[in-house]
Amino acid sequence: MRRPILLALVLAVLAVLGTGCTRSITFSADGFQIALDAKGRIHALEMAPGGPDFLPARSDATLLQLRIGGEFRKPVAAALEDTALVLTYDNGMRATVVTGSRMRHVWFRLDRLENADGSDASGAVDLVAWGPFPTTLGDTIGETVGVVRGGGWAIGLQALNPKTLGGWPWNENDAMPQIDIFESGDPNDLTEAGKREVLYRVEAAKPDTFGSTLQAYTRNRSAERVVENWGRTKYVAPAYDDGGVIGSSIALFGVPDSLALETIGLIEQAHGLPHPMIDGEWGKTSRSASAAYVILDFAESNVDRAIEVVEKAGLRYLYHGDAFETWGHFQLRPRYFPNGVEGLAAAVAKAEARGIHVGVHTLSNFITTNDPYVTPEPDPRLARVGSTRLSASVDATAREIAIEDPTYFVETGNNNLFTAVIGTELVRYSGVSSEAPWRLTGVERGVYGTTAAEHDAGADIGMLADHGYRTFLTTPELGDEMAGRIADLFNRAGLRQISFDGLEGNRSTGMGNYGEILFTKAWYDALSPDIREHYIADASRTSHFFWHIYSRMNWGEPWYAGFRESQTEYRMKNQAYFRRNYMPGMLGWFSMRAETSLEDIEWMLARSAAYDAGYAFYTSFEALEKNGASDAILAALGRWERARMAGAFSVEQKKRMEDVSGEFHLEETGPGAWLLTPITIARAEFEARERQPGEPSGVALSVENPGGAQPLAFTVTASGGTVHGIVLEVDGRPVSIAASLADSQHLVYRGGTTATVYSATWNSRLTVPVDTEGLTVGPGAHTVRFDAALGGPSGAKARLELRVAGPSEPLGAS
């Protein structure tokens, strides 16, 4: 039922409960009720009439706490005055909270804070905290989105503006514990000893012994603070004018769990929160939110080739991973876009004309040392760890600089560039004297294209914050400007996809998650209406309010191991996090290189289908040209993605494909129809070594055929030397194959009368005859012995992979 936001329509009822004449103030929305007693304590959190009460027994929860001088204060009285809720605290302070109900939720906003004499008290409050609201629900805890579920019900909290942070001030730098795992015994134990298997990024919702809690807060940022931050024990969080704690606001709802996500969408619309669309549908329910995409660094001159790659892959998004010469002003690389933004816009227009959307990769608020924000004069809004003053004047050639206080210069944690700013000069130093008088030593003058100059005693010197990518970072004000630059590029060029990589860099503001929110909100607000309604934005991390802006998380990188091994466990664990937080599934980046096999790609695509998760297909023109399986790989991408987007895979099939040791093959049999074939794999590795007299030289392995009679498919790969004299003995019957493999070559048999020798990059070199009768296996278990002669340097190996197909399973669009 829809209701206008009018205080008069809030169900706030004074009732007499029992003989003790305890007053109850009840706020209700579509059956969900929050009841406060006369002291402002919550004594019911329920679905009424007659529904369950989700408030744990013996809880001491309240709606709003104040923190004053580092001490939390709960109200001692609650009353309705002129349709607003007034909470009184033990120091006489009064908080006026306006409230309303609409679209299945109750909302609260702090309107005034007054001392007992009626004077403004907002400046005396460190922060205000909503809750924590304890609940008995703990089956599913959406820690980022702020929704907890269990028994068919859901209770949720939503912050209604950026300065209201989902979470609790566990850290004074406002960086939420993002990868903390709570033991059932003590949910506040953040130590290694208190960890268990569930990976929580604790924020707006938190697991607890009784179920869960929901919480949010707003900090008073009117004064500069020194906090532990960015790898430093002392970091200056500058004052920031956002109106302080007044205006802090939340929504609470309780609904059947099937309505929880829809309810968040209604809250977004009711309160003017970001509500981005994709293909005309809310981004959080659009199938396109999890769309796979191609990362290919195209140029104005070859964008047509890139478009053809995306079309061959059957995908709709083309993404540039390295478009910028600098980060900060985001100047485009001339080698890709000699005509600048106009050239990029022309490339985007070509892609859009063929139904393909284009995006670019950013590193959020990272600023490269060659950007105009740094050189030839540094922008005064570059983030600082802190500042001091020169204790003596210096000329333009001095290699030691005397400073009054070494506090912000002496720590080496997360100090990558060792760069300080004096006026318009940047200097680098190698050390700090061990005692007073304090000096920066080993100083390089006028670095990064700035000019060395004389500086008087008493001049300000600031230690610049930086990142391991050897970049500088931003204050909130500079971050807003940079976010606006990115938005302007999107508006001018018609870009539709972005990844806020390195979003945690905005913690350089000293405001933790709030800094990240401000950056992304500034980008969102600066977008044109057309782009705002059609973009996809992802990030390697998110936060409670950013959930409304971004389309998905997408974390998993291909740089650290082989195709199947790089961050595999982390990628899969992320999917559980996504599911409980109403996030589309994404697997991260997978890199196709010249050596990548079709089998590796189908392994990845089976995981994509299992978790209904998209991915980034990272490749290059060079890799595509060298890899002889490129066309087959691109075709497989489209085949699996069409089936996934059509909802063709059953719940049971998805569950089987979650097992990363399983392999599957998919064929398209017609429009909206596919065959899924499970593949049984057995692997062995053979290497030369000394053996006892009479000991067989090969290796034996077993394989199970779950299907009917079929050729025993296999791949033999040479590693570190040559392989020849290959013999496969199947159930005692030897089959010799007259093939010689050079290092990194493959011998592949998939049925028929011949096997094929491929180069390391899957280009066909020759075919050899195969005894098909000896390689035919019936249903059941089989023993295979593999032997070969190895040549070349010591350490040469032959790797064997056997592949047996199970019964094919027909699929259709759902």
Side-chain angles (χ1 to χ4, degrees), residues 97-115:
V97 178
V98 296
T99 181
S101 67
R102 186 180 183 185
M103 296 181 178
R104 304 180 192 154
H105 69 277
V106 180
W107 57 267
F108 302 92
R109 185 182 69 245
L110 179 61
D111 194 50
R112 292 195 304 280
L113 275 173
E114 300 170 313
N115 292 308

Side-chain angles (χ1 to χ4, degrees), residues 416-687:
N416 306 281
L417 295 175
F418 289 86
T419 300
V421 57
I422 316 171
T424 59
E425 181 187 358
L426 295 180
V427 302
R428 292 190 64 182
Y429 65 97
S430 61
V432 180
S433 60
S434 58
E435 58 185 21
W438 303 109
R439 305 176 314 281
L440 301 183
T441 61
V443 176
E444 298 176 61
R445 304 296 301 277
V447 298
Y448 304 124
T450 62
T451 301
E454 296 180 359
H455 304 285
D456 295 333
D460 177 90
I461 177 170
M463 178 70 217
L464 293 184
D466 62 39
H467 188 272
Y469 282 21
R470 304 184 70 79
T471 58
F472 296 116
L473 300 166
T474 61
T475 60
E477 296 77 14
L478 182 54
D480 281 357
E481 183 172 299
M482 282 177 56
R485 288 184 178 277
I486 300 172
D488 181 64
L489 179 66
F490 270 61
N491 296 337
R492 293 169 62 192
L495 296 167
R496 299 292 181 93
Q497 185 182 348
I498 189 172
S499 179
F500 289 104
D501 198 2
L503 189 57
E504 70 280 1
N506 287 279
R507 294 181 179 182
S508 63
T509 59
M511 299 192 295
N513 284 21
Y514 190 27
E516 300 172 19
I517 293 166
L518 290 172
F519 186 88
T520 52
K521 183 68 160 52
W523 172 80
Y524 177 83
D525 289 343
L527 293 177
S528 68
D530 177 58
I531 301 299
R532 188 181 295 174
E533 295 179 4
H534 295 92
Y535 72 77
I536 285 181
D538 67 31
S540 56
R541 54 168 285 105
T542 186
S543 59
H544 178 66
F545 192 89
F546 183 40
W547 185 96
H548 300 290
I549 296 173
Y550 84 122
S551 311
R552 63 202 185 192
M553 273 186 66
N554 191 27
W555 194 356
E557 298 179 355
W559 325 118
Y560 309 112
F563 186 91
R564 305 189 188 204
E565 293 80 23
S566 184
Q567 297 190 326
T568 300
E569 183 180 3
Y570 186 76
R571 295 177 195 263
M572 304 315 161
K573 280 189 174 181
N574 265 341
Q575 307 313 308
Y577 168 66
F578 298 160
R579 286 173 176 172
R580 65 179 182 261
N581 284 283
Y582 302 115
M583 302 179 187
M586 291 297 291
L587 292 178
W589 291 25
F590 287 89
S591 177
M592 177 201 159
R593 300 180 173 92
E595 302 82 13
T596 304
S597 69
L598 175 60
E599 288 77 13
D600 280 343
I601 295 294
E602 284 213 294
W603 174 89
M604 179 269 289
L605 292 170
R607 269 70 267 175
S608 171
Y611 293 101
D612 195 10
Y615 53 85
F617 181 73
Y618 180 88
T619 191
S620 65
F621 289 118
E622 180 182 13
L624 290 166
E625 290 166 0
K626 289 183 176 180
N627 192 312
S630 289
D631 286 345
I633 286 172
L634 295 176
L637 298 183
R639 190 162 58 244
W640 281 84
E641 183 78 347
R642 285 188 293 275
R644 181 176 75 88
M645 287 298 188
F649 299 100
S650 70
V651 172
E652 188 275 334
Q653 288 167 335
K654 290 179 181 179
K655 191 65 180 175
R656 276 190 284 141
M657 288 189 287
E658 287 185 6
D659 181 358
V660 296
S661 66
E663 307 226 3
F664 298 82
H665 175 66
L666 189 71
E667 288 292 338
E668 202 157 12
T669 57
W674 299 267
L675 276 179
L676 179 68
T677 304
I679 307 294
T680 297
I681 303 292
R683 295 185 176 93
E685 185 175 85
F686 172 67
E687 58 185 329

Side-chain angles (χ1 to χ4, degrees), residues 716-803:
V716 176
T717 301
S719 174
T722 62
V723 175
H724 59 281
I726 298 168
V727 177
L728 287 175
E729 183 182 292
V730 182
D731 296 330
R733 176 173 178 173
V735 176
S736 298
I737 302 171
S740 295
L741 304 180
D743 186 20
S744 300
Q745 286 189 331
H746 313 276
L747 174 67
V748 178
Y749 176 66
R750 294 293 183 263
T753 59
T754 61
T756 303
V757 175
Y758 290 94
S759 69
T761 56
W762 300 102
N763 289 282
S764 174
R765 290 292 179 250
L766 59 94
T767 59
V768 296
V770 170
D771 177 2
T772 57
E773 184 177 351
L775 289 176
T776 299
V777 293
H782 300 272
T783 299
V784 178
R785 176 169 287 279
F786 171 55
D787 202 352
L790 306 180
S794 60
K797 299 177 183 179
R799 297 190 175 99
L800 171 68
E801 178 181 277
L802 303 178
R803 300 174 64 86

Side-chain angles (χ1 to χ4, degrees), residues 238-254:
Y240 185 71
D241 184 10
D242 61 0
V245 297
I246 301 303
S248 181
S249 185
I250 63 166
L252 290 170
F253 65 87

Side-chain angles (χ1 to χ4, degrees), residues 259-393:
L259 297 178
L261 181 58
E262 180 183 287
T263 300
I264 297 174
L266 295 175
I267 291 171
E268 288 181 348
Q269 293 171 304
H271 295 275
L273 301 181
H275 188 75
M277 312 291 282
I278 305 172
D279 297 336
E281 184 179 354
W282 183 34
K284 290 300 183 292
T285 60
S286 171
R287 293 288 292 157
S288 294
S290 69
Y293 60 103
V294 174
I295 302 179
L296 183 59
D297 292 344
F298 62 89
E300 293 177 44
S301 59
N302 61 15
V303 68
D304 293 295
R305 288 178 61 198
I307 294 169
E308 288 173 4
V309 170
V310 180
E311 289 175 334
K312 283 184 178 181
L315 305 181
R316 296 175 53 219
Y317 288 87
L318 171 61
Y319 193 72
H320 203 299
D322 189 30
F324 299 110
E325 188 78 8
T326 74
W327 301 329
H329 282 68
F330 299 102
Q331 298 167 327
L332 293 167
R333 291 193 185 278
R335 73 169 182 266
Y336 292 132
F337 305 106
N339 293 301
V341 177
E342 291 73 19
L344 174 60
V348 170
K350 284 184 176 182
E352 287 284 344
R354 289 161 69 170
I356 293 171
H357 306 311
V358 178
V360 293
H361 195 70
T362 68
L363 266 295
S364 298
N365 74 325
F366 292 15
I367 302 175
T368 49
T369 57
N370 61 339
D371 188 81
Y373 283 130
V374 176
T375 184
E377 293 189 1
D379 193 290
R381 298 167 297 173
L382 293 174
R384 297 186 179 196
V385 176
S387 300
T388 186
R389 295 187 180 280
L390 301 185
S391 57
S393 61

Side-chain angles (χ1 to χ4, degrees), residues 66-263:
L66 311 181
R67 200 182 81 177
I68 302 171
E71 180 182 353
F72 278 100
R73 295 175 183 264
K74 293 184 176 182
V76 296
L80 287 176
E81 296 182 10
D82 298 327
T83 69
L85 174 67
V86 177
L87 301 172
T88 303
Y89 298 81
D90 59 2
N91 61 353
M93 195 173 289
R94 288 160 45 98
T96 301
V97 178
V98 296
T99 181
S101 67
R102 186 180 183 185
M103 296 181 178
R104 304 180 192 154
H105 69 277
V106 180
W107 57 267
F108 302 92
R109 185 182 69 245
L110 179 61
D111 194 50
R112 292 195 304 280
L113 275 173
E114 300 170 313
N115 292 308
D117 61 5
S119 61
D120 178 63
S122 60
V125 175
D126 303 337
L127 57 85
V128 298
W130 300 97
F133 302 98
T135 90
T136 57
L137 302 182
D139 290 352
T140 303
I141 297 170
E143 65 269 46
T144 297
V145 72
V147 178
V148 296
R149 290 175 275 170
W153 296 100
I155 293 180
L157 175 149
Q158 292 292 290
L160 297 182
N161 51 44
K163 71 179 180 180
T164 305
L165 301 181
W168 192 257
W170 291 293
N171 298 317
E172 288 303 299
N173 62 14
D174 300 315
M176 296 299 131
Q178 286 293 304
I179 310 181
D180 285 321
I181 308 167
F182 295 97
E183 184 185 32
S184 59
D186 183 1
N188 297 308
D189 185 358
L190 304 184
T191 66
E192 287 293 326
K195 294 185 176 182
R196 63 182 174 92
E197 284 302 313
V198 178
L199 181 68
Y200 288 111
R201 295 160 173 85
V202 177
E203 201 176 351
K206 181 172 80 70
D208 215 314
T209 53
F210 45 75
S212 60
T213 60
L214 298 162
Q215 52 271 318
Y217 72 102
T218 298
R219 187 181 294 278
N220 180 353
R221 304 181 188 278
S222 60
E224 180 181 287
R225 298 180 304 125
V226 177
V227 299
E228 185 175 348
N229 183 52
W230 205 243
R232 308 296 186 93
T233 56
K234 291 186 177 181
Y235 190 104
V236 174
Y240 185 71
D241 184 10
D242 61 0
V245 297
I246 301 303
S248 181
S249 185
I250 63 166
L252 290 170
F253 65 87
V255 294
D257 63 7
S258 61
L259 297 178
L261 181 58
E262 180 183 287
T263 300

